[in-house]
Amino acid sequence: MNSKVYFQKNIKIHLRFAILLFLILWPLKERSLGHLIKLVFVHASLIQISLALLLTNSFISIAAFFWKKESLTALTKILMHFSVLSWLAAYLGSVWVTKAAWGAIDWQEPRFLMSTQLLFLLLPYWGLNLIINYNWLLKFTSWGIGIFAQFMIRLAPVRIHPENPLGESESALMQWGFAAVLFLLSLWFFYTIHSLYRRKLLRMEQDES
């Protein structure tokens, strides 16, 4: 598949994902947050997806370290990009949503503080691997930061931020709405990563032939 056909096909699929997301979010409105709940759902989904990508990348990087396959290293690089970018988007969304919902940001909120610290770990990790581009460094740092991120965020205490606001909601519509947004965004990320990975493998095969 040439680049033009590949690009056109993916644009159509990404548009379908975007339309589906819009249709899911459109009717959602919460009693106190109103339409802001839409952004809360996207923000919360991105956090879960980013943590899942970081954890997945930890296991992939360990496998790549022992098996030393270029295909695993290529997947580690792709997962690195998406895990960092999704966390950055989730963090910026968190700042905006928190300010819009509560009128201010409590910079001493433990979970928000941990999220900020994790961002300041992820950005150097991302930049370092982009600049140096050593496979052993990528595998080592991906393994370490993926595991560390889980402990940082999962074990961070909360003071103002609810422990599980969506899971504890009494509204079945809100719970199902969040589940639908999380599922669709996860599927969207999976498709994009899988598509890029397949294209990378094809290029590697062409280079070898």
Side-chain angles (χ1 to χ4, degrees), residues 11 19 41 45 50 108 116 136 143 145 150-151 154 167 177:
I11 284 294
I19 291 169
F41 281 3
S45 297
S50 181
Q108 298 305 313
T116 305
W136 67 267
W143 170 78
I145 206 164
Q150 309 302 314
F151 286 99
R154 304 293 185 189

Side-chain angles (χ1 to χ4, degrees), residues 91-108:
Y91 181 83
L92 294 175
S94 174
V95 172
W96 195 88
V97 168
T98 302
K99 194 169 183 180
W102 295 340
I105 299 172
D106 182 4
W107 296 100
Q108 298 305 313

Side-chain angles (χ1 to χ4, degrees), residues 6 10 13-14 17 45-46 48-50 52-53 56 60 75 78-79 82-83 86 181-199:
Y6 172 83
N10 275 273
I13 293 175
H14 287 304
F17 273 117
S45 297
L46 286 175
Q48 298 302 320
I49 290 169
S50 181
L53 288 175
T56 301
I60 297 295
L75 181 57
I78 293 172
L79 288 172
F82 278 89
S83 60
S86 58
V181 172
L182 177 59
F183 175 76
L184 182 63
L185 284 177
S186 299
L187 193 62
W188 197 347
F189 269 80
F190 177 80
Y191 167 78
T192 306
I193 292 169
H194 182 261
S195 177
L196 290 172
Y197 182 54
R198 283 188 60 189
R199 189 158 179 80

Side-chain angles (χ1 to χ4, degrees), residues 7-203:
F7 180 77
Q8 290 175 344
K9 177 185 175 183
N10 275 273
I11 284 294
K12 291 178 182 178
I13 293 175
H14 287 304
L15 281 174
R16 289 169 188 166
F17 273 117
I19 291 169
L20 280 173
L21 180 62
F22 174 80
L23 292 175
I24 291 172
L25 290 172
W26 178 255
L28 297 177
K29 185 179 179 181
E30 206 261 343
R31 184 173 51 190
S32 57
L33 292 176
H35 290 292
L36 189 62
I37 194 66
K38 298 174 173 60
L39 294 178
V40 172
F41 281 3
V42 173
H43 146 70
S45 297
L46 286 175
I47 288 177
Q48 298 302 320
I49 290 169
S50 181
L51 289 173
L53 288 175
L54 286 166
L55 185 60
T56 301
N57 206 19
S58 291
F59 294 119
I60 297 295
S61 62
I62 291 172
F65 185 82
F66 286 105
W67 276 277
K68 303 185 187 303
K69 290 185 176 181
E70 289 187 15
S71 57
L72 289 175
T73 302
L75 181 57
T76 300
K77 289 180 180 178
I78 293 172
L79 288 172
M80 174 189 70
H81 295 311
F82 278 89
S83 60
V84 174
L85 289 173
S86 58
W87 187 261
L88 178 61
Y91 181 83
L92 294 175
S94 174
V95 172
W96 195 88
V97 168
T98 302
K99 194 169 183 180
W102 295 340
I105 299 172
D106 182 4
W107 296 100
Q108 298 305 313
E109 168 70 28
R111 185 162 291 182
F112 187 79
L113 194 60
M114 287 294 184
S115 298
T116 305
Q117 291 172 353
L118 179 56
L119 180 67
F120 285 120
L121 282 176
L122 288 175
L123 291 178
Y125 150 73
W126 189 36
L128 193 64
N129 282 294
L130 285 175
I131 295 169
I132 297 179
N133 198 28
Y134 285 162
N135 288 338
W136 67 267
L137 179 65
L138 171 69
K139 297 166 190 175
F140 181 76
T141 53
S142 296
W143 170 78
I145 206 164
I147 298 295
F148 187 59
Q150 309 302 314
F151 286 99
M152 282 187 70
I153 301 301
R154 304 293 185 189
L155 300 180
V158 292
R159 188 172 64 183
I160 298 176
H161 191 290
E163 180 67 39
N164 183 19
L166 299 173
E168 296 171 1
S169 173
E170 297 179 357
S171 171
L173 177 62
M174 292 298 103
Q175 292 182 356
W176 280 105
F178 174 65
V181 172
L182 177 59
F183 175 76
L184 182 63
L185 284 177
S186 299
L187 193 62
W188 197 347
F189 269 80
F190 177 80
Y191 167 78
T192 306
I193 292 169
H194 182 261
S195 177
L196 290 172
Y197 182 54
R198 283 188 60 189
R199 189 158 179 80
K200 180 64 177 178
L201 292 180
L202 287 174
R203 286 179 179 173

